Amino acid sequence: MVAHSKPLAASMNAKILGSGPTTVVLAHGFGGNQSVWDKIVPPLVQSNYQVLLFDWAFSGSVEAVHSLHDPVRHASYDGFASDLVKLLEEMMVKSVALVGHSMSGMIGCLASIKRPDLFQRLVLLCASPRYVNTDDFQGGFEDSDVENLISSIESDYAAWATGFSGLVVDPNHPASADKFCKCLLQMRPEVALPLAKTVFYSDHREILRDVPVPCHIVHATKDIVVPNSVALYMQAQIGAGKSTLEMMEIEGHFPQMTAPGQLIAVLRRLLAGASDSAAVGHIGVGARCAVEL
């Protein structure tokens, strides 16, 4: 079934598919749209989950991007978190399981702090609280890396989008890389540039201990965007409730596109509340770690 849409929901192309006692909200990351979940939705619906899909205000799939995307309000993740809260209210869903990919992981954390009643649990998929390295934190990027990235977007957005998609998506899946590239190219460069600055200069380490709902960190061990150390850091820092860590031995930043079978197996177990309890040891081939704090 497709749920009714109200103003914000319609603007964000929100829709509900399937039915079941648990609503799973799939939130895409930078440069994407809801189509990045195409391989994940059917198995979730078949597993009797109600699935909520939507496009963020920056997405090229949003028709009224200039009226929906506010350069001031969306200059921080807090504006997106407010959008998420309003969207869930409009769609009349609560106690949802949010699967937040990349930047949407931290947006979900912020939204859960604002309105814990709306969230049952968070699945933080290839998420990071900070991308730039510091003396005591390895986010994966030096300042110069981010400066070069921003400069490339400014000088030739189309060329940057083509190169970036080839880097962040598993190279063994060229069709998925092409699909993400098309999503990036749909974004307006004048929206993509400030958003890239917001994402890559963000720092949300201080909110992790305030997240009030259970969190499941799902990480790809060969993710060029988010190093393994970040997943371990988040697992250690999230304080309230129970946190688990799943290390999937796959390449790239988009497991929902390139390893959907593995991700679905993980999601089904986590959403059923059946994660194993085992201590994190090392990251090995096919490693799956579930740690409770």
Side-chain angles (χ1 to χ4, degrees):
M1 84 170 175
V2 178
H4 61 279
S5 294
K6 295 181 180 179
L8 181 64
S11 298
M12 296 176 71
N13 302 323
K15 59 186 178 184
I16 289 179
L17 303 175
S19 61
T22 299
T23 299
V24 180
V25 181
L26 300 178
H28 67 83
F30 172 83
N33 59 42
Q34 61 185 265
S35 73
V36 302
W37 302 107
D38 283 353
K39 297 177 182 177
I40 298 297
V41 174
L44 285 177
V45 170
Q46 291 163 13
S47 299
N48 297 318
Y49 290 104
Q50 180 169 266
V51 179
L52 170 57
L53 294 159
F54 67 93
D55 296 318
W56 287 117
F58 58 77
S59 171
S61 297
V62 171
E63 292 184 2
V65 64
H66 280 307
S67 59
L68 187 61
H69 185 269
D70 185 323
V72 176
R73 189 161 61 87
H74 292 123
S76 74
Y77 284 3
D78 190 71
F80 292 105
S82 295
D83 286 352
L84 179 58
V85 167
K86 185 174 180 182
L87 175 65
L88 297 181
E89 290 175 338
E90 283 193 9
M91 301 299 283
M92 295 188 294
V93 293
K94 60 172 56 177
S95 194
V96 305
L98 175 77
V99 183
H101 177 239
S102 199
M103 66 179 284
S104 287
M106 291 304 105
I107 292 171
C109 288
L110 287 166
S112 74
I113 294 169
K114 290 175 179 287
R115 287 288 305 277
D117 59 302
L118 294 177
F119 299 89
Q120 178 194 91
R121 66 187 67 215
L122 304 177
V123 178
L124 309 179
L125 179 62
C126 300
S128 176
R130 179 185 172 97
Y131 294 93
V132 178
N133 299 332
T134 67
D135 290 340
D136 59 354
F137 179 81
Q138 289 298 308
F141 293 80
E142 298 293 343
D143 280 317
S144 59
D145 296 328
V146 177
E147 289 168 5
N148 289 336
L149 183 149
I150 298 300
S151 177
S152 296
I153 293 176
E154 287 178 315
S155 62
D156 190 337
Y157 178 67
W160 172 82
T162 302
F164 185 72
S165 58
L167 285 173
V168 299
V169 180
D170 183 348
N172 295 308
H173 295 266
S176 293
D178 288 345
K179 181 171 185 172
F180 180 55
C181 183
K182 290 177 181 177
C183 290
L184 282 171
L185 291 173
Q186 281 186 318
M187 283 182 68
R188 298 174 184 268
E190 65 271 23
V191 172
L193 178 61
L195 179 62
K197 294 177 181 179
T198 295
V199 171
F200 287 100
Y201 287 121
S202 65
D203 187 351
H204 293 92
R205 291 174 294 173
E206 76 284 352
I207 72 165
L208 294 177
R209 289 194 177 277
D210 297 328
V211 177
V213 298
C215 291
H216 306 294
I217 301 157
V218 181
H219 183 70
T221 58
K222 298 178 182 178
D223 185 345
I224 194 173
V225 179
V226 183
N228 296 332
S229 59
V230 170
L232 293 165
Y233 173 88
M234 288 196 299
Q235 190 274 331
Q237 292 298 312
I238 293 173
K242 183 169 58 178
S243 68
T244 65
L245 172 60
E246 298 276 342
M247 305 296 276
M248 298 175 61
E249 184 71 19
I250 59 175
E251 188 168 352
H253 191 58
F254 287 83
Q256 69 270 49
M257 299 176 74
T258 62
Q262 289 175 257
L263 180 58
I264 277 293
V266 170
L267 290 179
R268 281 175 173 155
R269 181 164 36 78
L270 294 179
L271 294 172
S275 338
D276 300 329
S277 297
V280 169
H282 64 283
I283 300 168
V285 176
R288 174 171 57 79
C289 307
V291 182
E292 295 185 0
L293 286 181

